Amino acid sequence: MPAKHPQTDDAQDGGADRQGEAMPKAFSARTLAQRWGCSPKTVLAMVKREELKHFKVGSLVRIPLCEVQRFERSMAARTADAEKQRGAAAG
């Protein structure tokens, strides 16, 4: 099997997730869209709106794992806050 060119790989290996799969150090718009169940265009729009920090390798956009984790934590906190507010309003 031919080796992938480092600048065209969708993600760089590093660490492991809860299922024991290798976790990338950085995501492409496509691989992050797969993780989040959205389209790559949505991810690129978030990058353009500066909702996600990123870097470029040539013309390729990459979103670091630490930025993905930060964003996911912030979304989880927002969801928890919204649920608390709904619960307080109902009770």
Side-chain angles (χ1 to χ4, degrees), residues 22-91:
M23 286 292 289
K25 291 181 184 177
F27 292 85
S28 67
R30 184 176 62 82
T31 57
L32 186 53
Q34 289 172 343
R35 177 181 174 118
W36 287 350
C38 65
S39 76
K41 287 183 180 182
T42 300
V43 173
L44 292 172
M46 294 172 73
V47 166
K48 187 174 182 177
R49 291 190 305 262
E50 299 181 358
E51 294 174 19
L52 290 171
K53 294 178 183 174
H54 68 285
F55 63 92
K56 287 190 172 185
V57 178
S59 63
L60 305 174
V61 172
R62 295 293 181 257
I63 301 97
L65 174 61
C66 60
E67 177 63 6
V68 171
Q69 292 170 331
R70 180 206 61 81
F71 187 84
E72 290 174 346
R73 281 192 305 270
S74 73
M75 294 310 295
R78 286 184 192 179
T79 301
D81 289 344
E83 288 175 1
K84 285 181 187 177
Q85 289 177 355
R86 279 193 294 267

Side-chain angles (χ1 to χ4, degrees), residues 15-22:
D17 68 7
R18 289 180 212 118
Q19 291 81 30
E21 298 174 11

